[in-house]
Amino acid sequence: MGDTECGRDHITLGRDEHDMTSSIEEAALSTPAAEHAPGRPSADGTAARARGLTKAYGSGETTVLALDSVDVDIVRGRFTAVMGPSGSGKSTLMHCLAGLDTVSAGQVWLGDTEITGLRDRELTRLRRDRIGFMFQSFNLIPTLNARENITLPMDIAGQRPDEAWLDQVIDTLGLRDRLRHRPAQLSGGQQQRVACARALASRPELIFADEPTGNLDSRSGLEVLGFLREAVDRLHQTVVMVTHDPGAAAHSDLVLFLADGRIVDEMRRPTAESVLERMKRFDVIRAPADGAAPERE
Ligand SMILES: Nc1ncnc2c1ncn2[C@@H]1O[C@H](COP(=O)(O)OP(=O)(O)OP(=O)(O)O)[C@@H](O)[C@H]1O
C-alpha cells in the first residue's frame, strides 16, 4: 500500500512529535490492555523480529525503497545499535519495528505478537503498554513538571508507577532535585534525562531510542548512554538505539549496519574505533575516486 494513502502516515510525518501525538491518541483509549503485560517473554527470546521487511515511500517513478526485505532479530536483554549512512533506512527500520509506521511488505513481531496487520487502535495500545521511546528532540510537555512528564504515559494508561523503580530511575539520572521544574527550566541534558526516565518508567519490554544523545553535550550524552547500559545489564531491559556516533554505538552489545535499506554487516562487542573503521568503508563506497566504479555493499 502506498503510504500516502494511509491514515497512519500522520504518525510518520510527526515522527519527532510522536510522544505528544501518542499521548493524545492514547488518551482516547479507554480499555486497559491487560493482555499486554509489560515484560512478557516471547517464546524464542527475541524482543522484536522482522522478516522480509520492506518499506517504500511514494509511488511510480518517485518511489524510494527505504527498507529492502530486511530480516532482523532484536535479542531480548541486549543493547542493539543501528548505524549506517544518512538515508540508509535506520529511522525507518526503527519506526517499522516500533509500529510507528506501516510496512509495504513483510512481517514484524513484538515478542510473540505480530504487529503487522494490527488495527491502529490495537497498535496504539501495544505501543503504549510495551514500548518506551526516546527521541533526539525530547518531546516533553511544556506545561508539566519533570515528574509529571515522567509518569504521564502511565497516568494516561491508568497504571500506578512502581515507586521503588521510579526512585531508582530518578536517582540514577540525577533528577531528584529537578522534579518540580518544567522543561523550560531544565538544561538540554536534563530534559533528555527526563525523556529517558519517561521511557523507562513503566519498564517497557523494548526501548527505542532515536539519536538520544544528538542534542546533548558529551558529558550528558555519556550519562544517558551509561543509564541505558545499566538498564540492560542490571534491569534486563532491551534497547534499540539509532545513532551516527561511533562512541555512542560502543556502549551497545551489537551494532547493525544498514546501507541502502539492507542490513549489510553486524559487529559484536563494538569499540568506538572499530565502529569508526567500519563506517569509513561506507564513505569510500559513497565517494569513489574519480573514474573508479562505485563499489557495492
Ligand atoms: N516520509 C517519507 N517520504 C518519502 N521518503 C522518505 C520518508 N521518510 C524517509 N524517506 C526516505 O527513505 C530513506 C530512508 O530514510 P531514513 O530516515 O530511514 O534514513 P536514516 O538512515 O535514518 O537517515 P538519517 O541518518 O539521515 O536520519 C531516505 O532515502 C529518505 O529520504
Side-chain angles (χ1 to χ4, degrees):
M1 183 188 354
D3 263 62
T4 44
E5 301 158 25
C6 174
R8 205 183 300 148
D9 229 20
H10 294 301
I11 295 169
T12 313
L13 294 172
R15 277 177 175 179
D16 288 347
E17 284 76 41
H18 171 70
D19 278 5
M20 204 172 294
T21 311
S22 66
S23 301
I24 296 161
E25 254 187 303
E26 285 151 13
L29 283 171
S30 54
T31 321
E35 71 274 26
H36 294 312
R40 185 178 61 171
S42 69
D44 60 3
T46 56
R49 189 157 51 104
R51 290 291 176 270
L53 172 54
T54 300
K55 176 69 182 179
Y57 289 107
S59 58
E61 287 182 5
T62 58
T63 302
V64 174
L65 193 57
L67 294 176
D68 185 3
S69 202
V70 169
D71 294 339
V72 67
D73 291 300
I74 302 298
V75 180
R76 190 175 296 281
R78 292 283 196 285
F79 189 168
T80 302
V82 180
M83 296 197 81
S86 182
S88 56
K90 302 181 293 296
S91 296
T92 304
L93 176 63
M94 196 186 96
H95 289 106
C96 288
L97 288 176
L100 286 172
D101 213 344
T102 55
V103 308
S104 305
Q107 291 170 288
V108 177
W109 290 264
L110 180 70
D112 51 12
T113 307
E114 188 189 341
I115 65 170
T116 30
L118 284 185
R119 287 171 304 176
D120 276 358
R121 188 185 170 86
E122 296 168 316
L123 204 48
T124 300
R125 188 180 300 152
L126 176 138
R127 281 198 306 265
R128 183 192 70 186
D129 293 341
R130 296 172 62 179
I131 298 177
F133 292 100
M134 282 177 71
F135 294 96
Q136 186 172 353
S137 53
F138 321 120
N139 289 318
L140 303 177
I141 307 286
T143 51
L144 300 181
N145 69 31
R147 192 190 157 92
E148 289 163 344
N149 266 289
I150 292 168
T151 58
L152 180 67
M154 302 187 72
D155 292 341
I156 289 170
Q159 296 165 356
R160 287 164 62 88
D162 172 341
E163 291 296 336
W165 165 254
L166 204 56
D167 277 348
Q168 194 180 346
V169 168
I170 286 166
D171 287 333
T172 310
L173 285 167
L175 290 168
R176 177 68 55 199
D177 60 350
R178 291 289 183 277
L179 291 177
R180 293 186 180 282
H181 291 62
R182 291 185 181 175
Q185 300 168 316
L186 299 170
S187 70
Q190 289 164 344
Q191 289 182 50
Q192 186 59 305
R193 281 186 270 152
V194 172
C196 184
R198 180 186 52 191
L200 288 160
S202 64
R203 293 205 208 203
E205 210 170 311
L206 190 49
I207 294 166
F208 287 102
D210 199 351
E211 292 279 355
T213 58
N215 278 331
L216 301 182
D217 61 59
S218 54
R219 188 170 142 269
S220 303
L222 275 176
E223 281 177 8
V224 167
L225 290 164
F227 191 75
L228 289 175
R229 185 69 256 174
E230 280 190 36
V232 171
D233 290 343
R234 290 204 288 137
L235 308 162
H236 312 296
Q237 301 257 223
T238 307
V239 175
V240 178
M241 172 179 72
V242 169
T243 183
H244 286 102
D245 177 4
H251 287 76
S252 72
D253 298 304
L254 172 73
V255 184
L256 302 175
F257 293 96
L258 275 172
D260 297 327
R262 296 177 180 203
I263 294 178
V264 294
D265 205 355
E266 61 177 52
M267 184 185 289
R268 284 165 210 286
R269 290 183 290 282
T271 63
E273 293 72 27
S274 61
V275 172
L276 188 60
E277 281 307 310
R278 183 63 187 85
M279 291 301 289
K280 280 182 188 165
R281 283 167 52 197
F282 288 115
D283 295 339
V284 172
I285 291 157
R286 297 266 145 190
D290 278 354
E295 198 181 326
R296 298 290 305 168
E297 269 292 335

